[in-house]
């Protein structure tokens, strides 16, 4: 059985979609851990409900960045993930971790990369930029994580229309619905092809 570790920062709707796909047998793997960067987020209650081990790793809780990245790396080595999935994780993964799991960390981003990428482009900020630039479509992108924000090779993209009169919240809802379809599919194709 393959192992997946998920990183999340908030509500955890993509995390839940991954849990559902694992429990349905669509993704032939076990979720062996969840890492969150702050206490009290809804993703934690989802992990608890499904008996998934969980670790809070906030960089502010460590004396320096090296200790933080080493602690994260050690936790991951203990869990032995075949794939690390960033599901709404808002922090940059430490370089030491990315280098240790090269090609085995994926992220979903709420735009059609390379548009609206990099530090500060997350959530409604992305969708507001779509509106300000009068784009007639947007979407989401699943990509491999490297040491530059939103930069690694693209694995899949899904497009959604932008309608006249849309607010950022309208676009967010449409993109999120697409994410919940696409992300489990990509994870399944990565995990299942190795069987």
């Amino acid at each position: 059985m393959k192992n997946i570790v998920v990183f999340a920062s908030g509500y955890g709707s993509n995390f839940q979609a991954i849990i559902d796909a694992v429990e349905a047998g669509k993704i032939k793997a076990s979720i062996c851990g969840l890492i969150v960067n702050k206490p009290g987020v809804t993703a934690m209650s989802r992990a608890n409900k499904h008996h998934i081990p969980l670790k809070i790793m906030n960089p502010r809780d460590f004396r320096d960045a090296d200790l933080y990245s080493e602690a994260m790396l050690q936790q991951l080595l203990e869990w032995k993930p075949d794939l690390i999935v960033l599901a709404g994780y808002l922090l940059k993964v430490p370089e030491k971790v990315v280098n240790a799991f090269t090609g085995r960390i994926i992220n979903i981003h709420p735009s059609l990369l390379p548009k609206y990428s990099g530090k500060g482009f997350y959530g409604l900020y992305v969708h507001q930029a779509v509106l300000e630039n009068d784009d007639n479509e947007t979407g989401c992108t699943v990509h491999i994580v490297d040491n530059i924000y939103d930069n690694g090779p693209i694995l899949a993209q899904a497009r959604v229309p932008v309608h006249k009169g849309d607010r950022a919240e309208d676009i967010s809802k449409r993109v999120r619905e697409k994410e919940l379809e696409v992300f489990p599919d990509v994870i399944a194709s990565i995990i299942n092809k190795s069987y």
Side-chain angles (χ1 to χ4, degrees), residues 82-96:
D82 297 287
L83 184 67
I84 298 169
V85 177
L86 309 185
Y89 187 68
L90 300 180
L91 298 185
K92 194 165 188 290
V93 177
E95 189 170 318
K96 182 183 270 192

Side-chain angles (χ1 to χ4, degrees), residues 18-89:
I18 297 163
I19 292 169
D20 294 345
V22 167
E23 290 183 350
K26 177 179 174 181
I27 297 172
K28 296 178 183 2
S30 170
I31 302 173
C32 61
L34 170 71
I35 288 179
V36 297
N37 58 292
K38 55 189 175 185
V41 297
T42 307
M44 292 173 66
S45 60
R46 296 179 191 275
N48 289 331
K49 181 180 177 187
H50 294 274
H51 311 289
I52 295 167
L54 121 80
K55 190 81 173 171
I56 301 167
M57 303 210 77
N58 187 327
R60 292 188 205 135
D61 296 337
F62 295 86
R63 197 170 64 243
D64 60 42
D66 285 340
L67 288 172
Y68 165 65
S69 60
E70 184 59 33
M72 182 179 283
L73 180 59
Q74 290 309 312
Q75 182 60 68
L76 290 168
L77 292 173
E78 184 182 314
W79 280 338
K80 300 183 177 74
D82 297 287
L83 184 67
I84 298 169
V85 177
L86 309 185
Y89 187 68

